[in-house]
Amino acid sequence: MLKIRNIRTYYGNIQALKGITLDIAEGEIITLIGANGAGKSTTLMSICGVARPRYGEIFFRGTPIHEMSTEKIVALGICQVPEGRRIFPNLTVMENLEMGAFLRRDGHGIKNDLDHVFDLFPILAQRRSQAGGTLSGGEQQMLAISRALMARPKLLLLDEPSLGLAPLIIQQIFEIIKKINAESKTTIFLVEQNANLALKVAHRGYVMENGLITMSDSAINLLGNEEVKKAYLGL
Amino acid sequence: MWKFFSLDEIKKSLLMALWFIFLTFPIMVIRVNPIYNVVEWRWQNMALVGAGAFFLSFLWRYFLEYKNPAPSKPADDAAVSRSGRFSELLRSSGTRRLAIGAAVILALAFPYLFSSYQVNIMTTALIYVVLGLGLNIVVGLAGLLDLGYVAFYAVGAYSYALLNLHFGLSFWICLPIGAALAALFGILLGFPVLRLRGDYLAIVTLGFGEIIRLVLENWNDFSKGPSGIAGIPRPGIPGIEMSLNASSVFLYFLMIALALFTIMVVSRLRNSRIGRAWIALREDEIACQAMGVDKTKTKLTAFALGATWAGMGGVMFAAKTTFINPASFTFLESAIILSIVVLGGMGSIIGVIASAFILILLPEYLRAFSEYRMLIFGAVLVIMMVFRPQGLISNVRQTYRFKGLQENKEGD
Ligand SMILES: Nc1ncnc2c1ncn2[C@@H]1O[C@H](COP(=O)(O)OP(=O)(O)O)[C@@H](O)[C@H]1O
Ligand SMILES: [Mg+2]
């Protein structure tokens, strides 16, 4: 579904990605784990076109997207839940969700998807007219995911959804990530520092260090891998 | 209440009084009498300033305390419910309809009740309503701090003046041309500042405003420089002769129509797709991009649409004064228009209208106080911002159902 070929992304003179190659198949949950500053967020930003790779290519279902504008990429069906949630604090929950459907014109479909996300996260239905900024951290993460789902993405990019949340809430959110993948056949690219959790829900995983992919394997194998255990699982 | 008279509070007020005595000493106490070449020392003024400052500082702190209740109470809750009361009143449809009805009748009857001097002032105030609402699109909705808004006002005014001077084009043709040219300049300004935010954006737009004014001032062949352009015709209806008085009444009604049109469009825009995109862009650019909002297009439309109203306001201004020169388009103008937006409560339409009237009419009606009028004007601004930093009418969004929150909110 998504093919990333040897991309290198720079911030000014700083090279954040030093040649990343990565494949995501239809219907998978893929995870990218790595320490802080490894370049995980930059990888997602490069896919979305917010940060542009200077070299390399990205194909989405065969279409080259590395030179496309962000709006076009989103319109193709790639939607990102950015790191740190980034909900719109002064817009209500409802308005946040409407922003998620910004590029869509099918009123009926939007209505259905709204019911769908309210099914996934009933708490959001209760909070629908409350300003986004007044939600708790967990609720904000749920809103951020729901907002992305309102775009009806084919590929959902999640950047550290567990960041700063209590274990119980994280558990709940990861359950729902699995559910989204199983029920709507949405392909999910999950970026995490919490390797243990991420590898438990994912089918396959990549490990990233200093802008390079250092390992790629099935999630189970990575969970059992000695190096991964030492570096990322704290065992 | 009684704690206001503790020793500590009295000390604070004494210090305040001394400070004010020191500040006002040169103007309140010393008077040089040039005829007899002597200096008068008006000590009684010093006593007055001291006593006044002493008591006012008590009052000031009392009101501040009232505004920010003791920290033991949930401060937010109280503040929000208090500020909500007025907005609540505005939202209830009964009072709203009544108020709108009264405003319409007053607006229609105004020229027949008051002198043409008053009508002229009112026309000016209405121009600022339009300017305020226009800038509100850029600053209030899209969150782009534009300090050079007056440039577009100048573009509108000069396009009417020059097109009329050289080609004899009438007001009615120049109104849309002025608007379009201003929009074009809005886009021209927009392109270089797309990547800038906050302070940087403010400085560049400030520079842009000054560039336009300096060009108008120095390019004599084009704009007649500082001497300006005189004899700009007032708008009329073809075939009907109008007296000076009648034409100013006609202009007043035109301005009412333009203001109503502006209000209609701006309130529509606010809830439109593009309006949502502006508000969302103001809140978080990256999230907006992730949702597929075209950042470039959205920002440029904000600049262009905001500038359009300044352009129309400028054409109206040229038609009203019949004479324009660059001195009418200084940074102070931009600052006043920005004050209107901020004072009105960013993004609130009724707030912007109210503050346009206050900020334009107040200095006019304070003329009786001649040299003190700008002082009072400044004091009103400062007091407003201390006691109502959210503006006259705070954005309803921010006060949304705050009360139910406390008990529902759970930690995570
Ligand atoms: N906007 C930016 N400007 C400059 N350098 C950046 C920027 N964003 C990230 N970087 C750098 O790029 C590298 C990768 O960052 P990032 O992709 O955010 O890592 P991760 O998401 O894995 O924590 C880091 O060294 C970081 O300092
Ligand atoms: Mg990151």
Side-chain angles (χ1 to χ4, degrees), chain B residues 1-210:
Chain B
M1 181 71 222
W2 285 113
K3 76 184 171 82
F4 282 98
F5 296 103
S6 68
L7 202 63
D8 213 34
E9 297 292 318
I10 290 174
K11 225 192 277 170
K12 268 192 212 160
S13 286
L14 265 179
L15 271 175
M16 190 76 85
L18 280 176
W19 177 237
F20 265 85
I21 289 173
F22 173 71
L23 276 182
T24 56
F25 194 82
I27 48 167
M28 296 303 284
V29 180
I30 305 172
R31 172 143 81 191
V32 179
N33 189 329
I35 298 170
Y36 299 105
N37 252 339
V38 289
V39 176
E40 288 174 38
W41 299 91
R42 297 175 296 171
W43 297 113
Q44 77 280 12
N45 275 357
M46 187 178 100
L48 277 177
V49 167
F54 185 76
F55 285 110
L56 284 179
S57 76
F58 271 115
L59 216 61
W60 178 260
R61 263 176 286 136
Y62 174 70
F63 280 117
L64 265 187
E65 190 75 8
Y66 175 78
K67 180 186 155 241
N68 311 320
S72 60
K73 278 195 259 173
D76 272 347
D77 202 24
V80 164
S81 65
R82 197 177 305 133
S83 72
R85 224 179 285 149
F86 189 51
S87 317
E88 204 75 51
L89 202 67
L90 277 173
R91 258 180 292 164
S92 77
S93 67
T95 26
R96 199 178 186 135
R97 226 170 283 154
L98 206 70
I100 291 176
V104 166
I105 291 172
L106 186 67
L108 290 180
F110 193 84
Y112 307 105
L113 297 176
F114 295 95
S115 68
S116 76
Y117 169 72
Q118 302 286 348
V119 172
N120 271 329
I121 293 177
M122 212 30 116
T123 310
T124 307
L126 285 167
I127 291 179
Y128 280 89
V129 167
V130 170
L131 292 173
L133 288 173
L135 185 60
N136 187 37
I137 293 176
V138 186
V139 179
L141 294 185
L144 304 162
L145 185 52
D146 182 354
L147 292 184
Y149 191 63
V150 74
F152 310 122
Y153 187 41
V155 167
Y158 269 89
S159 48
Y160 176 36
L162 290 171
L163 287 173
N164 182 271
L165 185 71
H166 296 303
F167 306 106
L169 294 186
S170 79
F171 170 85
W172 297 106
I173 299 171
C174 288
L175 189 62
I177 295 180
L181 279 177
L184 187 72
F185 271 81
I187 293 172
L188 278 182
L189 167 68
F191 263 114
V193 301
L194 275 176
R195 291 155 169 276
L196 304 176
R197 312 208 78 207
D199 329 13
Y200 300 101
L201 177 67
I203 290 168
V204 175
T205 52
L206 175 71
F208 181 78
E210 286 301 284

Side-chain angles (χ1 to χ4, degrees), chain B residues 222-274:
Chain B
F222 173 70
S223 66
K224 298 200 163 183
S227 55
I229 300 167
I232 304 165
R234 294 182 148 221
I237 305 165
I240 298 177
E241 283 287 314
M242 269 194 271
S243 68
L244 187 65
N245 209 343
S247 79
S248 67
V249 171
F250 180 60
L251 201 67
Y252 167 81
F253 281 119
L254 261 185
M255 219 32 244
I256 291 262
L258 181 60
L260 285 179
F261 178 57
T262 314
I263 293 168
M264 236 168 59
V265 173
V266 173
S267 57
R268 284 274 161 81
L269 270 179
R270 205 195 149 83
N271 291 318
S272 68
R273 225 171 106 80
I274 183 84

Side-chain angles (χ1 to χ4, degrees), chain A residues 11 16 35-42 83:
Chain A
Y11 293 107
N36 209 356
K40 306 182 298 295
S41 298
T42 309
E83 186 175 345

Side-chain angles (χ1 to χ4, degrees), chain A residues 170-229:
Chain A
I170 298 179
Q171 208 70 52
Q172 203 183 332
I173 284 177
F174 274 66
E175 282 308 313
I176 294 198
I177 291 173
K178 267 203 277 193
K179 196 166 157 191
I180 293 167
N181 174 255
E183 286 179 2
S184 338
K185 305 281 171 272
T186 310
T187 312
I188 291 174
F189 187 26
L190 171 66
V191 159
E192 260 301 340
Q193 275 193 60
N194 191 332
N196 191 21
L197 261 169
L199 289 172
K200 276 183 186 146
V201 299
H203 303 119
R204 288 192 304 122
Y206 289 86
V207 179
M208 187 170 206
E209 254 171 60
N210 285 325
L212 283 169
I213 301 276
T214 53
M215 255 184 269
S216 83
D217 208 335
S218 71
I220 299 174
N221 287 351
L222 283 177
L223 266 175
N225 184 300
E226 285 307 317
E227 276 177 65
V228 174
K229 268 188 187 169

